Amino acid sequence: MEAKYMKNIIINGILLTVTLFIDQDIFAQEKQVAQPTVMVVPYVDKGNMKGSFEEALQEPSQRMAISIAEEEFIANGLKTLSFQNMLENERKDASFQAGDGGDDAAKEDIRDVLSRKSGADIRVELDLTVSGSASNGSFKVKQTLRAIDPYTSEQLSLVSDESGPWSFNDTSKIARKALKVKMREFIDLMQQKFTDRINNGRDYIVDVTIDQSSGLTMSSMLGDSELGDLLYEFFEGQAYKSNLSEPRTEKVKFVIDRFKVPIRDENGNPYRLKKLEMGLKSLLKSKQIIADFRVSGGKMYVNIKK
């Protein structure tokens, strides 16, 4: 079973993204998680990343940054995977070539799409920048690590460090030394937040709206129950460990601000909100109700049209 991470690295003006795939075995009683597997990904402009990935991988400075990050992850007990192999496999997918990515990719960061498609749980960004000059002893290297949930865009952990000033500009040597100091702290904090998600679930927001063209309201009777009550019973039954906040119900609105879903489904695969969508569609169809669904940035939107 796998999980994941990503990272941004800027070395001598070159920005990369590091993707970490967490190899995870979830044991119900021991609640243990295996060490993550790491993938380092070159970064290009958000929303326009696919066309220039191969070119970015040919840049010597990017290859050096990838090598530095991979070495430090391996030194901390993490395995690494080849992003280039993954990209080549994805490019065989017609929907990915068309810009869909199979997951609404045209509307969001391809890094998150690839993270989810690969089964990743966490994307980690490493932002590495250099400033100053070795000639006057002012050369500095700054690094910021962020762990991000690619499903909800929530930041899970953050560490930052600036080393220097130095009278030499060996970026590779300085970056390796700094990462050795910060990487363990970062991985431990990231693991803590990830383990909490394994035990307690991932947060989503559910937003159900009745379209103006529909004659329905949340008080409309559908059989023996009001529409709002049917929605509450459905989501309460689907929430991980029945963990959800009290819904806010208005005339044509139903909102759950905190709805928990598991990290993995019963087969050990990454949990997809598509399963939740299919269940709700089936319920609404049985009541002769038609609805549109959309998932974006940790929110599930439902628009009831009738």
Side-chain angles (χ1 to χ4, degrees):
M1 288 177 277
E2 288 188 3
K4 178 177 166 186
Y5 306 81
M6 262 180 155
K7 296 188 179 271
N8 282 357
I9 303 180
I10 304 181
I11 293 186
N12 293 330
I14 304 297
L15 181 61
L16 305 176
T17 295
V18 175
T19 303
L20 303 155
F21 293 71
I22 300 176
D23 219 354
Q24 55 177 111
D25 293 316
I26 303 175
F27 300 95
Q29 294 183 355
E30 294 84 2
K31 296 181 180 178
Q32 296 177 348
V33 182
Q35 287 288 327
T37 298
V38 181
M39 178 176 284
V40 183
V41 180
Y43 177 89
V44 265
D45 291 343
K46 182 179 179 181
N48 185 30
M49 303 175 70
K50 293 177 295 183
S52 55
F53 268 144
E54 289 88 344
E55 292 88 342
L57 286 168
Q58 301 306 312
E59 291 289 334
S61 55
Q62 294 223 18
R63 291 201 302 270
M64 179 186 71
I66 289 172
S67 176
I68 291 171
E70 287 182 340
E71 287 175 11
E72 291 307 317
F73 289 129
I74 291 172
N76 280 274
L78 286 78
K79 295 183 293 184
T80 61
L81 297 174
S82 170
F83 167 75
Q84 189 167 3
N85 291 343
M86 174 185 168
L87 182 62
E88 289 173 357
N89 289 336
E90 287 293 334
R91 286 196 172 280
K92 297 175 184 177
D93 186 336
S95 63
F96 185 83
Q97 288 278 22
D100 179 14
D103 194 6
D104 203 19
K107 298 181 180 179
E108 60 181 318
D109 195 326
I110 295 298
R111 294 171 298 179
D112 284 338
V113 175
L114 291 178
S115 297
R116 295 194 298 270
K117 289 189 71 173
S118 67
D121 292 298
I122 302 176
R123 173 166 67 89
V124 178
E125 297 179 351
L126 168 58
D127 184 3
L128 190 156
T129 58
V130 300
S131 62
S133 172
S135 61
N136 59 14
S138 64
F139 187 76
K140 296 181 180 180
V141 176
K142 182 177 180 180
Q143 299 178 89
T144 301
L145 288 168
R146 296 180 182 88
I148 298 171
D149 188 328
Y151 289 81
T152 65
S153 301
E154 180 184 356
Q155 181 171 286
L156 305 180
S157 65
L158 169 69
V159 295
S160 184
D161 177 72
E162 183 175 66
S163 59
W166 304 94
S167 56
F168 67 98
N169 59 358
D170 189 335
T171 303
S172 176
K173 182 176 180 180
I174 296 171
R176 283 187 171 90
K177 181 177 181 180
L179 279 177
K180 287 181 185 298
V181 175
K182 287 292 182 179
M183 188 62 75
R184 189 68 260 165
E185 174 188 348
F186 177 75
I187 291 175
D188 287 346
L189 181 58
M190 180 175 61
Q191 186 70 64
Q192 178 184 349
K193 295 293 185 68
F194 180 63
T195 300
D196 177 72
R197 274 166 161 65
I198 293 174
N199 297 336
N200 301 307
R202 174 184 280 124
D203 283 349
Y204 274 95
I205 296 173
V206 176
D207 188 324
V208 183
T209 302
I210 299 177
D211 194 90
Q212 292 181 349
S213 63
S214 173
L216 293 171
T217 69
M218 289 299 170
S219 299
S220 296
M221 294 300 297
L222 301 175
D224 297 329
S225 301
E226 294 183 359
L227 174 56
D229 292 338
L230 284 174
L231 291 172
Y232 178 77
E233 290 173 4
F234 171 80
F235 285 111
E236 183 182 39
Q238 295 296 317
Y240 185 57
K241 298 182 178 180
S242 299
N243 193 337
L244 73 166
S245 61
E246 188 68 21
R248 294 186 285 112
T249 305
E250 302 172 8
K251 184 177 180 180
V252 294
K253 197 80 169 175
F254 179 94
V255 178
I256 302 175
D257 294 308
R258 180 179 51 77
F259 178 80
K260 293 284 190 177
V261 302
I263 292 289
R264 299 282 169 174
D265 62 20
E266 61 276 8
N267 298 316
N269 299 314
Y271 181 87
R272 307 290 185 185
L273 280 191
K274 187 70 174 178
K275 298 182 66 174
L276 187 67
E277 175 185 328
M278 292 171 62
L280 183 55
K281 274 185 177 179
S282 179
L283 171 64
L284 295 177
K285 185 178 180 180
S286 71
K287 305 298 181 181
Q288 289 75 53
I289 295 177
I290 299 174
D292 291 335
F293 292 77
R294 181 170 63 89
V295 177
S296 177
K299 291 186 177 182
M300 179 179 185
Y301 298 95
V302 183
N303 185 30
I304 295 178
K305 294 186 172 183
K306 181 68 175 179

